[in-house]
Structure formats: C-alpha cells, structure tokens
Amino acid sequence: MTTEKQTIAIIGAGLGGAAAGALLQSAGFDVKIFEQAPSFTRLGAGIHMGPNVLKIFQRIGMDQKLIDISSTPSHWFSRNGMTGEYLSRIPLEGYGATYCTVHRGDLSALQMDTMAPGTVEFNKRLTRLEDNGSDVYLEFQDGTSTRAAIVIGADGINSRVRETLLGAERPNYSGWVGHRAMISAEKLKKFDLTFEDCVKWWGPDRHMMVYYTTSRRDEYYYVTGVPHAAWEFDGAFVQSSREEMFAAFAGYHPVIQALIEATDEVTKWPLFNRNPLPLWSQGRMVLLGDACHPMKPHMAQGAAMAIEDAAMLTRCLQETGPNAYSAAFALYEANRRERATRVQTVSNANTFLLTQEDPSWVYGYDVYAEPLQDKSVA
Ligand code: FAD
C-alpha cells in the first residue's frame, strides 16, 4: 500500500477524467488516474468537440493536434428527415476556436499523450472508498489499495464515487436508444448523393446525426435517437442490424437509405440520464462529467461538459490551493451547476439547433474568461 497524502486521485480515464489529469498536471498537481478497463481501446464511435472545448485543449497543447486529425465542418445543418428541406444552417465558425468532429478513440489517444507516462493505471476498478477526514482510502477489485488527498469521481453514469456520496440509485432509462455506425466513405461513392460534413436529419419522433470523423473524410459516422420502450439487455450496448435500421427509418430521405445500405456494423445503446444531483462534492470527494450530470446526448455536449468541469475544477483548486479543497469544490459547483444543468435540460429536450438559433451561449463560452462567481466561498 502506498501513502500519497498529496495525490489527487481521479477515478476513470474517460474524456473528462483524462482532461482533468492533463489540466491538473500542467497546473503542477500530483495526479493519478485509476481506470477499470484493462487497456486503452479505440471505441467505434464519433464525437463532436465544439469551440468551447478547443479553448481548453489550447491550454494543454492539444488543439492543433486535434484539428489536424478531425473534420472541421463550417455548418451544422438541420434537415427534414423525409423531404430533405433545410430547417436551419448554423455556422460553426466565429466562436473563438475550431469546431471538430472526430473519432472518439483518436481523441482519447491524443488525450492520453497529454499526460506524463504512468499517470493512468489500468485494470483498477474502484470498489470502495472512505474519506476518513485526513485523507481518502481507495480499494480496487484487484485487491490493491491506495490513499489520496482528494478524489475526483470521473467514473461515468454508474459512478462508484457518486454512489458513495449519495447511495445506490440506478440511472433513469430515457425510453430512447442511439444506434451508432462507422461507415467507410469509399462505400458511399457509388451513390449519386451529397454527404454533408455535419447534418442532423429530424423526423417527428427520431433523428439521425451524421458527420465525418477524420480530416481525410474517409470515415463517415451516424448516431441516432430512436424511441424504444424498454431496455431489456445487460451491458452498455447490443448489436443492431441493417434490417432494424431500415425498419426504424422507413420512408426517410434517400441519403439515410444510402447510409443504412452502406452500413457493415451497427450497435444500439440505451440512453440513460439522471435528475440534477443534490450535491456535487462532500469532504474530500468531488464529481465531474457523467458521474455528476449525465444527459441524453442530443446536443453533442456531454463530454464537453465533462471537460469544462475538469477545467473549472482545476482553476478553482489553483485559486484556493489544494488544502482548501472544500472552498475549491464549493467554488467549482457555484461556477458549473447552472451551465451544466442548462445543457442537460436542453440536451434532454432534443431541440438544440432544430431552428435557426444562435448557439453562442454553448460554443462561445470560455471557461477561463468567465469571472469566478461566489468568491466569498473561497
Ligand atoms: P465516461 O466517458 O463514461 O468515462 C468514465 C470512465 O470511468 C470510463 O473509462 C470507465 O471505464 C471508468 N470507470 C467507471 N467506473 C469505474 C470504477 N469503478 N473504477 C475505475 N474506473 C471506472 N458528448 C459530446 O460532448 N459530444 C458528442 O458528440 C457526444 N455524443 C454522444 C453519443 C452517444 C450515443 C452517447 C451515449 C453519448 C454521447 N456524448 C457526447 C456524451 C459523452 O459520451 C459523455 O458525456 C462522456 O463520455 C462523459 O465523459 P466522462 O469522462 O464523464 O465519463
């Protein structure tokens, strides 16, 4: 057993935990990340990283590397899923940084490189943690244990850290699933159709979001939102099929039919969420990202909120110093709760960018430019 009283332990090396690791490390903190997965894997899915996130990646020298490998759409188009009529054309430029769409695995790989070697320990599934007032004791499934001065729960929607703070409670199944498929752009060449950089096709009760995930535009990706009464499977996802997709999008636009025809493999993910939590921290433990405010993914801002959390938490710990962690956590929540809850609410409602609205409140946000509110707690 190691005794590392001043170490900040982060549980989970997802997009939020890895951002927290890099940002805290670059601010001079001693950080360890404990991740349950046996190793790093390239998950088959895409992700949007908006200008609000790129401004954070600038701080850890990752923004240009991400831009180099991403597709950088100039607009988000919303279109009627049946007729193709344009419902909105939202500019994605002019918010102070670039808008990227990218492969999640490639994004994660870049994030791993922003941390000192050995920062992330894999195969460390946290099973128990106990704040004894002077530090936190952490126990892992492999029988090992450690201690840390502060624990950041970045362990996702089924967070063990959240459970320790607030008790066991299953997340709410939203009644929706998301299908995800990565398509080789080569397969789209045979269609006499235009495949736009970033487009959301809207039906009355379902949608399909589509975009490229590489700068070479050789991978095209779709993710849906489709009503699905009950989730009766174990595990994070199940296999879906072309047949299921054709049935779900029968009568939809020829571009959608072509995408389904070009699909080799498609998976189906339940969409869960939680109501806003009554607290974000207690004692030496604090939550961020999906552990704290999971949402339906329809604004493409869930990971962005996790990364903004990581940046604001780092900023608050710098402001107060790590020994005044209670003040730092209070400051962090005071500066994050309203925004994260607003994004959670709009994302769950699935209305974002359906009509010609101004998304500056999301993309124009700069976590470093905002004056810190509620300084009195510091
Ligand atoms: P996670 O990414 O869930 O990471 C948690 C990590 O903790 C994992 O690595 C996990 O293995 C680890 N862990 C869990 N329990 C333990 C334990 N006990 N011990 C140790 N490690 C543990 N967001 C966007 O910003 N843009 C998008 O385009 C977008 N698209 C999405 C599409 C879909 C279909 C879905 C479902 C979500 C989408 N999101 C998107 C949301 C985004 O994926 C999440 O909000 C984001 O991954 C949350 O990051 P996180 O780091 O908080 O949690």
Side-chain angles (χ1 to χ4, degrees):
M1 183 165 81
T2 54
T3 307
E4 294 182 21
K5 289 232 167 202
Q6 291 311 311
T7 302
I8 298 179
I10 300 171
I11 310 304
L15 303 178
L23 290 159
L24 285 164
Q25 219 163 50
S26 73
F29 293 98
D30 181 23
V31 185
K32 267 273 172 222
I33 304 188
F34 299 100
E35 166 58 47
Q36 67 180 3
S39 63
F40 174 76
T41 48
R42 191 179 188 263
L43 283 174
I47 194 157
H48 301 237
M49 288 279 105
N52 47 326
V53 179
L54 270 281
K55 287 169 205 161
I56 297 169
F57 287 157
Q58 279 168 14
R59 297 282 169 133
I60 44 176
M62 208 188 108
D63 56 320
Q64 193 54 50
K65 290 179 189 153
L66 181 61
I67 292 166
D68 289 347
I69 62 167
S70 300
S71 171
T72 54
S74 63
H75 287 79
W76 165 310
F77 297 130
S78 280
R79 299 182 67 176
N80 181 309
M82 315 266 176
T83 65
E85 175 203 351
Y86 285 84
L87 307 171
S88 71
R89 293 180 173 88
I90 310 290
L92 296 176
E93 293 163 346
Y95 308 101
T98 306
Y99 194 106
C100 295
T101 58
V102 68
H103 194 292
R104 256 172 197 259
D106 295 343
L107 170 66
S108 273
L110 282 185
Q111 283 194 285
M112 291 295 147
D113 283 346
T114 57
M115 292 179 280
T119 304
V120 183
E121 286 193 32
F122 289 97
N123 236 337
K124 291 285 175 193
R125 182 180 173 79
L126 180 77
T127 48
R128 191 166 84 83
L129 72 168
E130 198 176 311
D131 180 351
N132 59 34
S134 52
D135 66 6
V136 187
Y137 171 74
L138 301 100
E139 215 169 75
F140 302 98
Q141 198 166 42
D142 64 358
T144 59
S145 61
T146 191
R147 291 179 182 279
I150 290 172
V151 173
I152 300 175
D155 46 346
I157 191 163
N158 294 305
S159 165
R160 172 63 84 183
V161 183
R162 189 213 63 82
E163 188 180 317
T164 306
L165 298 184
L166 288 160
E169 190 182 354
R170 289 170 69 84
N172 309 319
Y173 174 57
S174 67
W176 284 45
V177 294
H179 302 90
R180 287 165 144 173
M182 199 64 80
I183 297 170
S184 158
E186 197 58 39
K187 290 204 154 196
L188 299 175
K189 285 189 178 153
K190 68 174 179 184
F191 300 101
D192 187 21
L193 293 165
T194 303
F195 298 97
E196 290 162 318
D197 284 0
C198 180
V199 52
K200 186 164 175 176
W201 298 89
W202 299 74
D205 67 344
R206 63 199 59 208
H207 66 259
M208 182 183 275
M209 177 89 228
V210 196
Y211 52 91
Y212 287 98
T213 57
T214 63
S215 54
R216 298 182 304 276
R217 285 194 173 78
D218 55 356
E219 274 180 355
Y220 206 44
Y221 169 73
Y222 66 73
V223 54
T224 73
V226 173
H228 186 96
W231 184 255
E232 55 283 341
F233 309 102
D234 288 330
F237 68 93
V238 294
Q239 292 297 321
S240 179
S241 64
R242 252 200 304 251
E243 292 66 38
E244 188 178 341
M245 292 302 300
F246 277 130
F249 287 92
Y252 276 72
H253 193 271
V255 166
I256 294 182
Q257 304 308 320
L259 293 176
I260 298 172
E261 199 183 318
T263 300
D264 285 327
E265 194 189 356
V266 52
T267 50
K268 183 164 72 173
W269 301 66
L271 303 182
F272 289 103
N273 54 28
R274 289 185 189 276
N275 297 327
L277 301 186
L279 56 83
W280 284 28
S281 69
Q282 199 169 62
R284 294 173 175 272
M285 298 183 273
V286 63
L287 302 172
L288 67 71
D290 276 12
C292 194
H293 41 66
M295 58 191 82
K296 282 166 80 192
H298 309 318
M299 257 176 98
Q301 281 286 323
M305 289 305 107
I307 294 165
E308 285 185 9
D309 285 351
M312 183 57 84
L313 182 57
T314 303
R315 193 176 161 195
C316 294
L317 281 163
Q318 284 181 288
E319 178 85 6
T320 65
N323 293 331
Y325 55 85
S326 299
F329 295 169
L331 197 57
Y332 159 66
E333 183 175 341
N335 284 278
R336 289 299 303 156
R337 181 182 276 277
E338 192 184 320
R339 177 168 169 84
T341 305
R342 184 175 175 197
V343 169
Q344 200 180 17
T345 307
V346 175
S347 200
N348 287 338
N350 191 24
T351 51
F352 187 59
L353 307 187
L354 169 60
T355 56
Q356 195 66 34
E357 63 177 288
D358 179 1
S360 296
W361 69 276
V362 182
Y363 304 145
Y365 178 85
D366 180 348
V367 70
Y368 300 106
E370 296 291 312
L372 284 182
Q373 292 168 27
D374 207 357
K375 276 223 170 213
S376 58
V377 298

